Amino acid sequence: MKPYSDELLSEIFDRLFPICRSISGPGLRESLGLFAEWMPLEFEQVASGTEVFDWPVPSEWHIRGARLTGPDGRPVVDFADQNLHVVNYAEPVDRILSLQDLQPHLYSLPELPEAVPYVTSYYRRHWGFCLPHALRQQLPAGDYHARIDSEFVNGGVDFAHCLVPGESEHEILLSSYLCHPSMANNELSGPLVLLGLYHRIQHWSRRRYSYRFLLNPETIGSLCFLSRHHEHLSRVLAGGLVLTCLGGPNKGLSYKASRQGDGLIDKVVRHVMAHDASWSWRPFTPEHGSDERQYCSPGFNFPVGNIARTPYGHYPGYHNSLDDKQFMDIAHVQDSIDRIEYVLRLVEIGGVFANTKPYGEPHLSKYDLYPTENSHQTRSMSADTLDDGRLRLNLVLQVLSQCDGTRCLVELADDLGINLEQLSPVVETLERNRLQAMSSSCR
Amino acid sequence: MKPYSDELLSEIFDRLFPICRSISGPGLRESLGLFAEWMPLEFEQVASGTEVFDWPVPSEWHIRGARLTGPDGRPVVDFADQNLHVVNYAEPVDRILSLQDLQPHLYSLPELPEAVPYVTSYYRRHWGFCLPHALRQQLPAGDYHARIDSEFVNGGVDFAHCLVPGESEHEILLSSYLCHPSMANNELSGPLVLLGLYHRIQHWSRRRYSYRFLLNPETIGSLCFLSRHHEHLSRVLAGGLVLTCLGGPNKGLSYKASRQGDGLIDKVVRHVMAHDASWSWRPFTPEHGSDERQYCSPGFNFPVGNIARTPYGHYPGYHNSLDDKQFMDIAHVQDSIDRIEYVLRLVEIGGVFANTKPYGEPHLSKYDLYPTENSHQTRSMSADTLDDGRLRLNLVLQVLSQCDGTRCLVELADDLGINLEQLSPVVETLERNRLQAMSSSCR
Amino acid sequence: MKPYSDELLSEIFDRLFPICRSISGPGLRESLGLFAEWMPLEFEQVASGTEVFDWPVPSEWHIRGARLTGPDGRPVVDFADQNLHVVNYAEPVDRILSLQDLQPHLYSLPELPEAVPYVTSYYRRHWGFCLPHALRQQLPAGDYHARIDSEFVNGGVDFAHCLVPGESEHEILLSSYLCHPSMANNELSGPLVLLGLYHRIQHWSRRRYSYRFLLNPETIGSLCFLSRHHEHLSRVLAGGLVLTCLGGPNKGLSYKASRQGDGLIDKVVRHVMAHDASWSWRPFTPEHGSDERQYCSPGFNFPVGNIARTPYGHYPGYHNSLDDKQFMDIAHVQDSIDRIEYVLRLVEIGGVFANTKPYGEPHLSKYDLYPTENSHQTRSMSADTLDDGRLRLNLVLQVLSQCDGTRCLVELADDLGINLEQLSPVVETLERNRLQAMSSSCR
């Protein structure tokens, strides 16, 4: 593994940006391989032709070049200049055709005349070129040469993941997608945040949960991952986040709840929002979104939300060439890493714990958690050695009372009107004294 | 079966009205037989003397005539003129007695001096005459001849029912009672609506549920039906409606919820009310009502509500001779049929469905339910062939996400703030593509 | 047993007050023995050294005398005058020491300069004297003689209880603690109310529940009781009350809910509060309180609340010598008995009952609970013999409908907006007719 620091994110971005990714093929593998320089990713592939739930795994798309040449013999657009110029998954073509016949194969954005749109056609054979509307308007009549040098190859859909183990086998899934060509906010910001979180979490002094990091092409990639691992996830998944569009200009983060709506991460984010107005909440919807649509499909109904900064569809550069590094901003990517790490630290103590001595109160003075003397002088003490207005003692008693293996500590914090962070030292004290243990995920 | 049309309702009413019905006996059988001319009713009888739950099945009451003759030898009232003149289930009598001794056997309504009240005494031997209060006031002193030619005969309590099968064995029960003598709103309107609904539903192009139509004498008849069929109902009953008082002058219908309060029909009617202010809601009460009191008794707790237009007790003619065809109005009976049919059509799609491919989203473009191309041009399309602002696609995704075998589609419509009717084509499309099936009743 | 009347409470108080109680030892046993003159208490002891859940059962503390003598040879304070002068569970000492060295062993209340504080040190060996702050301020420099004649003896922790059996084996637990030396409101009021309730309940004409009366030293005593009887309680406990501080000047009572918050007694007290503004409600907290902290620990989670009049911590005399008979007032103790007896009478009919004929409505006219005749004249009658506006009949129907073995009658009373007392004759009528029986506790 290469040594990582957040300062490297800009450089890693620059290496990833030019690659022509798709939901399969060499560009995807090259991108995954690049992440594998800093993360111990394990690679998996589901072969073309496999039935994955209701979906066929497509043949790989190999694109070598594409150029549209005008009547004057000069190139109108060339894939070599900008990989968005070719429709992603375009079939090969080598034809001379009139402007009129060409028009159904051209894509441009009248409202953004300088932008090159991003167009895909994965499951129906089609070809086309994407170009600025300003340029399209000036195309003269005449014969055009449309040439796309692509190939459909038997191969498969790739994805890659790794696990940072924790004290429990219960897992938090952090996933992002890697299948868009040269776009920044809606593509590379998510995987870069994932990489940053991997390194933060790996350096935590302890982890109650295990953390799984997953990179996959969107939709078909998460379906392939699910087809291989859904039984495992059913057993261990305590929560998940799909990371997407995390580098845009918005100040705070935006959370789309899981379909359950009251999973552990749902509850923790709701708690964070009550103390930080920069967050916003999107209720679950199956109408649009990213891979949480698959994780939250009714058969799985996994507690997986989606976290974004400047979500898809809510900015002009969405799915076109304006979504570049300048729009995205590496500093926002780093800020997103900070904020999501904060949420995950709260997730560590927000779940369901069990009091290991639940029959009667534990004899707390034995652990220096209660004053041994009962007098007017000790009424404000948490222990013989701690005169703190009973702040700690009251939280110790509350946590022990709640730790019944059914209720989340984040709910206790909400009930007490305190920040969940304040419970962290209490939880650690009780764990150290073996009075409490994380009992299971709170889904 | 005779050919039926709603236009016949008036004529059928006229044949039924004069019959002296009771909870048993020839009048009841004649009335059931009349309905059997237009519905394939199966007849059942529970024999007199049988213990039905906590109740004894009474002997049949056969009434041949009854006349109260005045001191002048002229008839005061005669059963031959109006069958309400005799107390229903009156024991035989043939006595001369003074006006004073007669008074405890006379029934009249001071506040409605022209009306003949309807009085019954099923389970205690008694006799009496019912007459207009104006007439009673003028009765001279003297000897009266009370003669009732009735008989208690070993026989039984009759009821009749038929099933219109649907795709599921889960049943919707539609029941009405047939035991009151010559009264219109509170007697014949219910069975007439039942007959109309039978013909509407039989002509539906499809039925997801099966529909059972039941006519019985009130209380003892539903208890007899339950004693024979409660195990079957426990297994298949998805909802039920007791039809009563459906011909009165009120504009909209009034629904009395089942004891559960959140059965499928309860939910659908609540939904309809949110879109149609002419409906009104009565919460369940055991204090009064009709056969839903038996269906909703705590041992059964079936999801059976009661639907009325001008409910019992809420109009002057209740249980007296003012409740006639003029008060009732055949046009209102027909309107009630329309409205209840509308509710039942919503019940067909308001229940619990199951996504047959619940693991991940189905590959919708395969079914022409998603655009194959992903571009700015297809963002408002529901399919390659349908540019509708994603209206259908969003509903398809919502329905598939909700169809988890636990949630009702009527609740989805409520959540989305749309009319349940709008889901009907979506549900049908998904069923046709075998992506969804009704999973079970939503009780 | 001696004959009891509430008038004896003052005399019993006077015998109990001077005894130096602690969580073990002769003073506790003497006090329990005194109660046993009027209640058939069974005594139990858990031996010193036993592990009770997380706690060690301590050695017994035997105190024979204690005196602090001043430099002038005259006693400063003497245990013989006031048993609060010695720290409860003080180890033996016989030392001459300077005022400066003595200070860490002195306890006084600057804000209440005439009061002697109550100080304990059960689980850490310690000694000390408690004295009025005014006196302490005047202590001259010089040598003091501290002498405490105490001993730690192998023995055990004692508690005592008795059962008044009822029709059901389901139990209501009434408990109070007996471990404080000479204090009135926060010690003797609770056991005196317990004694009064024992005699009230024993004289009830019937008891649906069985009633267990328990006296124990606080915390360690309830843990000892639980260690012996928690399996039994898990099986039969329908509710419980810890009786404490019931003699103070407040007008109404104050209820601290069980951890469950919706046990039978929680519901009944919430109902009583809706009709009597003198009650107040304290939500459950593990932060402070009495033995309910043990009963409600998450492993047990028993439905045990705490009932007080002038609760611990809320009056100046709390845990000091100002908590005397004058502050307490025997009349308030008697009023508390009245009020708690009232609650328990409601508990008797507030729980879960089962309709013994739940299939259809019972044939109520058979039991003279419905008119046999159905006419306009009987529409306001509850039975052939009762013209009461259907008041009884409606309640009979409501109760039968609710009695499904899952819902509490106190919830029905709340739903109907009536006082639970009004259901009492209905419940009794239905029980007498074998139409209803208490099915199980409502926890």
Side-chain angles (χ1 to χ4, degrees):
Chain A
M1 292 298 108
K2 286 190 185 171
Y4 168 87
S5 81
D6 286 358
E7 284 68 43
L8 291 171
L9 288 173
S10 178
E11 180 187 313
I12 298 170
F13 177 92
D14 293 340
R15 287 177 60 196
L16 285 161
F17 191 72
I19 302 169
C20 183
R21 280 166 294 277
S22 184
I23 57 171
S24 70
L28 170 60
R29 277 190 290 274
E30 184 185 347
S31 301
L32 289 172
L34 211 145
F35 278 95
E37 297 177 20
W38 291 278
M39 296 170 80
L41 291 172
E42 291 173 46
F43 287 71
E44 294 193 48
Q45 188 185 66
V46 176
S48 301
T50 311
E51 288 284 323
V52 169
F53 305 116
D54 198 35
W55 297 64
V57 174
S59 297
E60 288 188 9
W61 182 58
H62 290 209
I63 176 77
R64 282 178 291 265
R67 178 186 286 174
L68 178 66
T69 308
D72 58 0
R74 290 199 297 196
V76 178
V77 293
D78 195 320
F79 172 77
D81 300 329
Q82 160 62 287
N83 57 35
L84 292 173
H85 281 319
V86 69
V87 165
N88 205 287
Y89 254 73
E91 63 186 341
V93 69
D94 190 352
R95 275 175 64 190
I96 308 295
L97 67 178
S98 71
L99 180 57
Q100 194 184 340
D101 290 348
L102 181 65
Q103 286 292 3
H105 294 277
L106 295 186
Y107 296 87
S108 66
L109 299 168
E111 65 281 12
L112 293 171
E114 307 302 327
V116 181
Y118 166 52
V119 176
T120 70
S121 182
Y122 301 135
Y123 296 99
R124 191 176 57 99
R125 288 286 186 261
H126 181 56
W127 65 266
F129 290 92
C130 305
L131 71 171
H133 197 66
L135 177 59
R136 185 182 186 176
Q137 294 288 82
Q138 295 160 18
L139 293 181
D143 283 348
Y144 286 77
H145 182 187
R147 192 175 164 280
I148 296 176
D149 180 14
S150 67
E151 196 181 355
F152 294 104
V153 174
N154 200 30
V157 161
D158 303 280
F159 60 90
H161 54 123
C162 64
L163 186 77
V164 179
E167 294 162 16
S168 161
E169 66 166 354
H170 287 289
E171 284 184 22
I172 304 292
L173 174 69
L174 300 170
S175 101
S176 195
Y177 52 88
L178 200 57
C179 56
H180 296 51
S182 296
M183 278 174 292
N185 183 46
N186 185 13
E187 170 73 0
L188 293 174
S189 69
L192 292 179
V193 168
L194 189 93
L195 177 61
L197 287 170
Y198 168 81
H199 285 280
R200 296 283 179 93
I201 290 167
Q202 214 208 4
H203 285 96
W204 285 357
S205 60
R206 60 181 290 204
R207 287 172 294 279
R208 288 175 187 81
Y209 290 103
S210 298
Y211 289 82
R212 184 171 299 278
F213 298 83
L214 168 67
L215 290 168
N216 57 263
E218 205 172 7
T219 305
I220 189 69
S222 56
L223 290 165
C224 287
F225 172 72
L226 279 163
S227 74
R228 292 267 174 87
H229 301 289
H230 68 89
E231 289 180 5
H232 174 76
L233 292 177
S234 293
R235 202 166 51 75
V236 304
L237 192 66
L241 286 173
V242 174
L243 308 175
T244 173
C245 297
L246 284 159
N250 288 4
K251 280 215 172 145
L253 297 190
S254 168
Y255 179 72
K256 174 182 171 179
S258 76
R259 181 176 178 279
Q260 300 179 13
D262 63 350
L264 173 56
I265 297 181
D266 296 320
K267 284 174 179 156
V268 167
V269 174
R270 202 177 272 121
H271 174 84
V272 166
M273 284 185 67
H275 296 82
D276 179 352
S278 73
W279 281 75
S280 61
W281 183 271
R282 290 168 287 150
F284 179 77
T285 175
E287 295 183 8
H288 43 72
S290 182
D291 289 324
E292 75 281 358
R293 287 165 55 172
Q294 310 311 320
Y295 294 112
C296 295
S297 57
F300 298 127
N301 199 26
F302 290 142
V304 175
N306 155 319
I307 204 157
R309 184 173 201 108
T310 302
Y312 36 79
H314 289 94
Y315 58 100
Y318 174 64
H319 269 200
N320 66 59
S321 60
L322 300 182
D323 187 351
D324 59 11
K325 193 182 186 183
Q326 191 183 346
F327 173 76
M328 187 189 84
D329 198 338
I330 289 287
H332 288 157
V333 170
Q334 289 166 344
D335 181 72
S336 294
I337 295 170
D338 292 344
R339 287 166 177 269
I340 300 172
E341 185 191 15
Y342 174 75
V343 166
L344 295 173
R345 282 195 181 278
L346 295 186
V347 165
E348 286 271 315
I349 56 159
V352 175
F353 288 77
N355 180 333
T356 59
K357 298 188 171 170
Y359 301 105
E361 289 177 356
H363 189 193
L364 291 174
S365 58
K366 206 161 75 179
Y367 312 94
D368 194 26
L369 292 170
Y370 211 94
T372 51
E373 177 185 301
N374 182 3
S375 72
H376 50 286
Q377 294 164 5
T378 60
R379 252 170 243 160
S380 65
M381 293 170 71
S382 281
D384 286 346
T385 55
L386 187 60
D387 192 349
D388 65 348
R390 276 183 70 119
L391 284 180
R392 186 180 75 179
L393 176 53
N394 284 343
L395 292 181
V396 161
L397 290 166
Q398 291 283 4
V399 168
L400 285 172
S401 178
Q402 285 281 317
C403 282
D404 59 1
T406 71
R407 280 189 260 184
C408 285
L409 287 190
V410 61
E411 293 173 304
L412 174 61
D414 286 336
D415 289 349
L416 297 177
I418 62 171
N419 193 311
L420 181 52
E421 276 185 286
Q422 293 177 251
L423 294 184
S424 188
V426 172
V427 168
E428 274 166 25
T429 299
L430 292 174
E431 286 177 322
R432 202 166 45 243
N433 284 296
R434 298 180 188 282
L435 289 172
Q436 171 181 294
M438 193 169 81
S439 67
S440 72
S441 60
C442 163
R443 306 182 184 184
Chain B
M1 290 301 106
K2 288 190 183 171
Y4 167 88
S5 80
D6 286 358
E7 283 68 44
L8 293 171
L9 288 173
S10 178
E11 181 187 314
I12 298 170
F13 177 92
D14 292 339
R15 287 179 58 198
L16 286 161
F17 190 74
I19 301 170
C20 183
R21 281 168 291 278
S22 184
I23 57 170
S24 69
L28 169 62
R29 276 190 292 274
E30 182 184 350
S31 300
L32 290 172
L34 211 145
F35 279 94
E37 298 177 19
W38 292 278
M39 296 171 79
L41 291 173
E42 292 174 44
F43 287 70
E44 295 194 45
Q45 188 185 68
V46 177
S48 301
T50 309
E51 288 283 324
V52 169
F53 306 115
D54 197 35
W55 298 63
V57 174
S59 299
E60 287 188 10
W61 181 59
H62 290 210
I63 176 79
R64 282 178 292 265
R67 177 184 287 173
L68 180 65
T69 307
D72 57 1
R74 289 198 303 193
V76 180
V77 293
D78 194 320
F79 172 76
D81 301 328
Q82 159 65 286
N83 58 34
L84 293 173
H85 282 318
V86 70
V87 165
N88 206 287
Y89 254 73
E91 62 186 343
V93 69
D94 189 352
R95 276 175 61 189
I96 308 293
L97 66 182
S98 71
L99 179 58
Q100 192 183 342
D101 290 348
L102 180 65
Q103 288 292 4
H105 295 275
L106 296 185
Y107 296 86
S108 65
L109 299 168
E111 65 282 14
L112 294 170
E114 306 303 326
V116 182
Y118 166 52
V119 176
T120 70
S121 182
Y122 299 136
Y123 296 99
R124 191 175 57 99
R125 287 286 186 260
H126 181 59
W127 65 266
F129 290 92
C130 305
L131 70 171
H133 196 67
L135 176 59
R136 185 181 187 177
Q137 296 285 82
Q138 296 160 16
L139 293 182
D143 281 348
Y144 287 79
H145 182 187
R147 190 175 165 281
I148 296 176
D149 179 14
S150 66
E151 194 181 359
F152 294 104
V153 175
N154 200 28
V157 162
D158 303 279
F159 59 92
H161 54 122
C162 63
L163 186 76
V164 180
E167 295 162 16
S168 160
E169 66 166 353
H170 286 290
E171 285 184 19
I172 304 293
L173 174 69
L174 299 169
S175 100
S176 196
Y177 51 88
L178 199 57
C179 55
H180 295 51
S182 296
M183 279 173 292
N185 182 47
N186 185 14
E187 171 72 1
L188 292 174
S189 67
L192 293 177
V193 168
L194 189 93
L195 177 61
L197 286 171
Y198 169 81
H199 286 279
R200 298 283 179 93
I201 290 168
Q202 213 208 7
H203 286 94
W204 285 357
S205 60
R206 61 181 291 205
R207 288 171 295 278
R208 289 175 186 81
Y209 290 103
S210 297
Y211 289 81
R212 185 171 299 277
F213 298 83
L214 168 66
L215 290 168
N216 57 264
E218 207 173 7
T219 305
I220 189 68
S222 55
L223 290 166
C224 287
F225 172 71
L226 279 164
S227 75
R228 290 267 175 87
H229 301 289
H230 69 89
E231 288 180 7
H232 173 76
L233 293 177
S234 294
R235 203 167 49 77
V236 305
L237 193 66
L241 285 173
V242 174
L243 308 174
T244 172
C245 297
L246 284 159
N250 288 4
K251 280 217 170 143
L253 299 190
S254 168
Y255 179 71
K256 173 182 171 179
S258 76
R259 181 175 178 278
Q260 299 179 16
D262 63 350
L264 174 56
I265 297 181
D266 296 320
K267 284 175 178 157
V268 168
V269 174
R270 204 177 270 123
H271 174 84
V272 166
M273 284 185 68
H275 297 82
D276 179 351
S278 74
W279 281 75
S280 62
W281 183 271
R282 290 168 287 150
F284 179 77
T285 175
E287 294 182 9
H288 43 71
S290 182
D291 289 323
E292 74 281 358
R293 287 166 56 171
Q294 310 311 319
Y295 295 111
C296 295
S297 57
F300 299 126
N301 199 25
F302 289 142
V304 175
N306 155 317
I307 204 157
R309 186 174 199 107
T310 300
Y312 36 78
H314 289 95
Y315 57 101
Y318 173 65
H319 270 198
N320 64 60
S321 60
L322 301 182
D323 187 352
D324 59 10
K325 193 181 185 183
Q326 191 182 346
F327 172 76
M328 185 188 85
D329 197 336
I330 289 286
H332 287 157
V333 170
Q334 289 165 343
D335 181 73
S336 294
I337 295 170
D338 291 343
R339 287 168 178 268
I340 299 173
E341 184 191 17
Y342 174 75
V343 166
L344 294 173
R345 282 196 181 277
L346 294 186
V347 165
E348 284 272 314
I349 55 159
V352 174
F353 287 79
N355 180 334
T356 60
K357 298 190 171 169
Y359 301 104
E361 290 177 356
H363 188 191
L364 292 175
S365 59
K366 207 159 76 179
Y367 312 95
D368 193 27
L369 291 171
Y370 211 93
T372 53
E373 177 185 301
N374 181 3
S375 72
H376 50 285
Q377 294 166 5
T378 60
R379 249 169 247 160
S380 64
M381 293 169 70
S382 280
D384 285 346
T385 56
L386 187 59
D387 192 348
D388 66 347
R390 277 182 70 121
L391 285 180
R392 185 181 74 180
L393 176 52
N394 284 343
L395 292 182
V396 162
L397 289 165
Q398 291 284 5
V399 169
L400 286 172
S401 178
Q402 285 282 317
C403 283
D404 59 0
T406 70
R407 281 187 262 184
C408 285
L409 287 189
V410 62
E411 293 173 302
L412 174 60
D414 286 336
D415 289 349
L416 296 176
I418 64 171
N419 193 308
L420 180 53
E421 276 185 286
Q422 293 177 250
L423 293 184
S424 188
V426 172
V427 168
E428 275 166 24
T429 299
L430 292 174
E431 285 177 323
R432 203 165 43 242
N433 284 296
R434 299 180 187 284
L435 289 171
Q436 172 181 292
M438 193 168 80
S439 66
S440 71
S441 60
C442 164
R443 304 183 183 184
Chain C
M1 290 301 107
K2 288 189 186 172
Y4 167 87
S5 80
D6 287 356
E7 283 69 44
L8 292 172
L9 287 173
S10 178
E11 179 187 315
I12 297 170
F13 177 92
D14 293 339
R15 286 179 58 198
L16 285 160
F17 190 73
I19 300 170
C20 183
R21 282 167 292 277
S22 183
I23 57 171
S24 70
L28 170 60
R29 277 190 291 273
E30 183 184 349
S31 300
L32 290 171
L34 211 145
F35 279 95
E37 297 177 20
W38 292 278
M39 297 170 78
L41 292 172
E42 292 173 44
F43 287 68
E44 294 194 46
Q45 187 185 67
V46 177
S48 301
T50 309
E51 288 285 321
V52 169
F53 305 115
D54 196 35
W55 298 63
V57 174
S59 298
E60 287 187 10
W61 181 59
H62 290 210
I63 175 78
R64 283 178 291 263
R67 175 184 287 174
L68 179 65
T69 308
D72 59 359
R74 290 199 299 195
V76 179
V77 294
D78 194 319
F79 172 78
D81 301 329
Q82 159 65 283
N83 57 34
L84 292 174
H85 281 318
V86 70
V87 165
N88 205 287
Y89 253 72
E91 63 186 342
V93 69
D94 189 352
R95 273 175 64 189
I96 308 294
L97 67 181
S98 71
L99 179 59
Q100 192 183 344
D101 290 347
L102 180 66
Q103 288 292 3
H105 294 274
L106 295 186
Y107 296 86
S108 65
L109 299 168
E111 66 279 15
L112 293 171
E114 306 305 325
V116 181
Y118 166 52
V119 176
T120 70
S121 182
Y122 300 135
Y123 295 99
R124 191 176 58 98
R125 288 285 186 263
H126 181 57
W127 65 267
F129 289 93
C130 304
L131 71 172
H133 196 67
L135 175 60
R136 185 181 185 176
Q137 294 285 81
Q138 296 161 15
L139 293 182
D143 281 347
Y144 285 78
H145 183 188
R147 192 173 163 283
I148 297 176
D149 179 16
S150 68
E151 194 180 358
F152 294 105
V153 174
N154 201 30
V157 162
D158 303 278
F159 59 90
H161 54 123
C162 63
L163 187 76
V164 179
E167 294 161 17
S168 161
E169 66 167 353
H170 287 289
E171 284 184 20
I172 304 293
L173 174 68
L174 299 169
S175 100
S176 194
Y177 51 88
L178 200 57
C179 55
H180 295 50
S182 297
M183 279 174 292
N185 183 46
N186 185 12
E187 170 73 2
L188 292 175
S189 69
L192 292 179
V193 168
L194 189 94
L195 176 61
L197 287 171
Y198 169 82
H199 285 280
R200 298 283 178 94
I201 291 168
Q202 215 209 4
H203 286 94
W204 286 357
S205 60
R206 61 180 289 204
R207 287 171 295 277
R208 289 176 186 81
Y209 291 103
S210 297
Y211 290 81
R212 184 171 299 278
F213 297 83
L214 168 66
L215 290 168
N216 58 264
E218 205 173 8
T219 305
I220 190 67
S222 56
L223 290 166
C224 287
F225 173 70
L226 280 163
S227 74
R228 292 266 174 88
H229 301 289
H230 69 88
E231 288 180 7
H232 174 76
L233 292 177
S234 293
R235 203 166 52 75
V236 304
L237 192 66
L241 285 173
V242 174
L243 307 174
T244 172
C245 297
L246 283 159
N250 288 4
K251 281 216 170 143
L253 298 191
S254 169
Y255 179 70
K256 174 182 172 180
S258 77
R259 181 175 177 278
Q260 300 178 16
D262 62 350
L264 173 55
I265 296 180
D266 296 320
K267 285 174 178 158
V268 168
V269 174
R270 202 178 272 121
H271 174 84
V272 167
M273 283 185 68
H275 297 81
D276 179 351
S278 74
W279 281 74
S280 62
W281 183 270
R282 290 168 286 150
F284 179 76
T285 174
E287 293 182 10
H288 43 72
S290 180
D291 289 324
E292 76 281 359
R293 287 165 57 171
Q294 310 311 321
Y295 294 112
C296 295
S297 57
F300 298 125
N301 199 26
F302 290 141
V304 175
N306 154 320
I307 204 157
R309 186 176 198 105
T310 301
Y312 36 81
H314 290 93
Y315 57 100
Y318 173 64
H319 269 200
N320 65 60
S321 58
L322 301 183
D323 187 351
D324 59 11
K325 193 180 184 183
Q326 188 181 349
F327 172 77
M328 187 189 83
D329 197 337
I330 287 286
H332 288 157
V333 170
Q334 288 165 344
D335 182 72
S336 295
I337 294 169
D338 291 343
R339 288 167 177 268
I340 299 173
E341 184 190 17
Y342 175 74
V343 166
L344 294 174
R345 282 194 181 278
L346 295 185
V347 165
E348 285 272 314
I349 57 159
V352 175
F353 287 78
N355 179 333
T356 60
K357 298 189 171 170
Y359 301 105
E361 289 177 355
H363 189 192
L364 292 175
S365 59
K366 208 160 74 179
Y367 312 95
D368 193 27
L369 292 170
Y370 210 94
T372 52
E373 175 185 301
N374 181 4
S375 72
H376 50 285
Q377 293 166 6
T378 60
R379 251 169 245 158
S380 64
M381 291 169 73
S382 281
D384 285 346
T385 54
L386 187 60
D387 193 347
D388 65 349
R390 276 183 69 118
L391 283 180
R392 185 181 74 178
L393 176 52
N394 284 344
L395 292 182
V396 162
L397 289 165
Q398 291 284 4
V399 168
L400 285 172
S401 178
Q402 285 281 318
C403 283
D404 60 0
T406 71
R407 280 188 263 183
C408 284
L409 287 189
V410 61
E411 293 173 303
L412 173 61
D414 286 335
D415 288 350
L416 297 176
I418 63 171
N419 194 310
L420 180 52
E421 276 185 287
Q422 292 177 252
L423 294 184
S424 188
V426 172
V427 169
E428 274 167 26
T429 298
L430 293 175
E431 286 177 323
R432 200 164 46 242
N433 284 296
R434 298 182 187 281
L435 289 171
Q436 171 182 293
M438 192 169 80
S439 67
S440 70
S441 60
C442 164
R443 305 182 182 185

